[in-house]
Amino acid sequence: MDTIYFDNNATTKPLEEVVEAMKPFWVDAYANPSSVHQFGQSVKHAIECAREQVAALIHATPGEIVFTSSGTESINLAIRGALAMVPAKRKFVTTAVEHAAVLRLSEVLEREGYEIVVVGVNRDGQVDEQAWVEALSGDTVLASIQHANNETGVMMDVNRLAALAQEKGVAVHVDAVQTVGKVEVDVATWPVQFVSFSAHKFHGPKGAGGLYVRRRTRLKPLIVGGSQERELRAGTENTASIVGMGVAAACCGATMAETATRVGALRDQLERELLKSVAGASVHGVKANRVYNTSNISFENLEAEAILILLSEAGIYASSGAACSSGSLQPSHVLQAMGIEEHVAHGAIRFSLSRYSSEAEVASVVERLPGLLARLSRLGSR
Ligand code: PLP
């Protein structure tokens, strides 16, 4: 049975070009890039090529890119590193729909004595501008916003929100893990200091992420030791993954517009057909600007976990934002923040497509899902 992978916001299939480019660095090109001999320097050169490729993707200069292990590490480095540079001020502002990498860190910071303000969103998942401006008052050092939400695909107006922060002298970090490599990210025009991204979300390997740090922005490292990454991230580089990220950046950059058009049409078709064939289905964030590959659809009065199990048995891989805690299913914090009613939020499924998705796959889901849902309804899933 052919499986259908519609879980690309969780992770993506590495491109063949990426895998091929990485192979030599596991086999022959194993030298330490910090070694002064020619062997080491050739590996160092490969890392610097990757830095150029990644910088080009987001319109940065190579010197503004710090390689890390993941989006999560980049986010921790930006937030902790920026706050640590201004010890006299202790306020951090973010939004209610951020990824756990931001929200869990905020909770830790709060326990460490920081004042944390979490700004809410409207029903379309967008930040209330007035609340944002009010939150930025006082001793705010840094604000962190998502470019796109991983569960709904809803995009924030980074230019606008960051400009409002800039007016108040507040530095801005953008979690662009769900957009870099998928949509145009132009850090040269964004009034922000830090942007996080992650290779495995754009057909690169796991184990490589990056942080854009605007030139002349001060940042304290999380990991100290050797002088790698301009002393902002010590530790011998994960050469193969960094090289793979560079190739993924180049490939995704070159095909971005075409992928957006094709995958966007598939996503729209999936939504159109499911809304037509399933009574009580609704799409979250539909009025907002969304990343073209993501669809978060609720099937009223059904339980997402149960739907996902049936889908998985049918070879269809999707996701939900629900988390199982102490035996009871909590609806996603994102849908809760958007004010989505519980009986709707509980039945939310995220379908996230990629350049590997096909019309036949969409047709197959559209054909089989209504029957699976009807079966669940009869069983009384909730
Ligand atoms: N931020 C967002 C919006 C994400 O979707 C993810 C991953 O799902 C992360 C951060 C964390 O990235 P990583 O898996 O590379 O640590």
Side-chain angles (χ1 to χ4, degrees):
M1 178 185 64
D2 276 348
T3 56
I4 297 174
Y5 185 74
F6 279 179
D7 197 16
N8 289 280
N9 286 8
T11 199
T12 55
K13 178 181 159 78
L15 292 167
E16 251 167 56
E17 296 93 315
V18 166
V19 178
E20 283 308 311
M22 290 171 72
K23 275 183 191 161
F25 295 90
W26 287 314
V27 184
D28 299 318
Y30 54 79
N32 189 320
S34 296
S35 296
V36 293
H37 47 69
Q38 225 174 7
F39 190 18
Q41 288 308 295
S42 68
V43 175
K44 170 108 183 131
H45 178 70
I47 290 178
E48 294 316 312
C49 286
R51 202 183 305 281
E52 282 174 21
Q53 289 169 311
V54 167
L57 178 67
I58 60 171
H59 306 276
T61 58
E64 293 173 308
I65 303 295
V66 179
F67 289 135
T68 66
S69 67
S70 60
T72 300
E73 186 190 329
S74 302
I75 289 166
N76 275 261
L77 173 59
I79 297 175
R80 274 208 178 277
L83 292 176
M85 292 313 297
V86 194
K89 294 184 173 184
R90 291 179 73 81
K91 185 172 169 193
F92 172 65
V93 173
T94 191
T95 86
V97 292
E98 299 300 312
H99 187 268
V102 175
L103 289 178
R104 291 294 88 76
L105 176 58
S106 306
E107 289 163 14
V108 173
L109 290 169
E110 190 163 37
R111 288 198 288 277
E112 291 175 10
Y114 280 91
E115 179 187 354
I116 310 295
V117 179
V118 178
V119 181
V121 296
N122 64 18
R123 211 172 160 86
D124 291 315
Q126 282 171 327
V127 167
D128 178 76
E129 251 186 54
Q130 201 181 331
W132 178 250
V133 173
E134 279 165 20
L136 294 168
S137 63
D139 275 349
T140 310
V141 181
L142 180 75
S144 186
I145 39 172
Q146 246 167 15
H147 190 202
N149 184 267
N150 45 305
E151 291 184 26
T152 60
V154 168
M155 294 177 73
M156 300 281 185
D157 187 347
V158 166
N159 256 318
R160 174 89 189 126
L161 296 173
L164 291 167
Q166 199 182 33
E167 276 170 27
K168 295 191 170 250
V170 174
V172 176
H173 163 253
V174 181
D175 171 358
V177 168
Q178 287 296 342
T179 51
V180 166
K182 288 186 207 160
V183 304
E184 181 72 1
V185 168
D186 184 353
V187 298
T189 59
W190 276 356
V192 308
Q193 281 66 37
F194 309 101
V195 178
S196 293
F197 51 91
S198 180
H200 75 99
K201 305 289 187 183
F202 59 94
H203 304 286
K206 289 154 188 77
L211 181 66
Y212 160 80
V213 182
R214 185 173 294 280
R215 205 171 325 155
R216 287 191 284 277
T217 305
R218 280 150 37 93
L219 184 69
K220 192 171 176 203
L222 282 182
I223 302 172
V224 293
S227 58
Q228 294 91 350
E229 298 302 301
R230 303 190 325 281
E231 299 193 358
L232 285 172
R233 204 277 187 176
T236 299
E237 296 88 339
N238 182 353
T239 315
S241 285
I242 290 171
V243 167
M245 176 158 64
V247 173
C251 291
C252 289
T255 53
M256 192 177 281
E258 169 204 325
T259 305
T261 307
R262 198 180 66 76
V263 177
L266 292 178
R267 190 275 312 265
D268 291 348
Q269 186 188 344
L270 177 73
E271 289 186 348
R272 225 176 14 250
E273 300 284 337
L274 288 178
L275 288 179
K276 216 164 36 180
S277 58
V278 182
S282 56
V283 176
H284 300 296
V286 72
K287 288 201 203 118
N289 190 16
R290 287 181 298 153
V291 183
Y292 58 83
N293 79 314
T294 309
S295 182
N296 191 311
I297 310 186
S298 267
F299 304 104
E300 222 173 84
N301 296 320
L302 293 176
E303 193 65 68
E305 278 317 84
I307 302 172
L308 289 177
I309 290 167
L310 283 191
L311 280 173
S312 174
E313 281 171 1
I316 300 167
Y317 303 140
S319 216
S320 83
C324 194
S325 71
S326 55
S328 74
L329 284 171
Q330 299 291 325
S332 115
H333 73 283
V334 174
L335 298 183
Q336 274 183 325
M338 289 163 73
I340 307 298
E341 297 73 12
E342 256 202 38
H343 70 286
V344 178
H346 269 287
I349 302 291
R350 176 186 75 186
F351 298 100
S352 46
L353 281 57
S354 80
R355 60 203 278 143
Y356 289 115
S357 305
S358 70
E359 206 168 330
E361 289 180 332
V362 169
S364 173
V365 172
V366 165
E367 188 190 315
R368 290 188 285 163
L369 184 55
L372 296 179
L373 296 173
R375 220 170 95 203
L376 268 186
S377 286
R378 282 196 299 276
L379 290 171
S381 127
R382 275 178 61 80

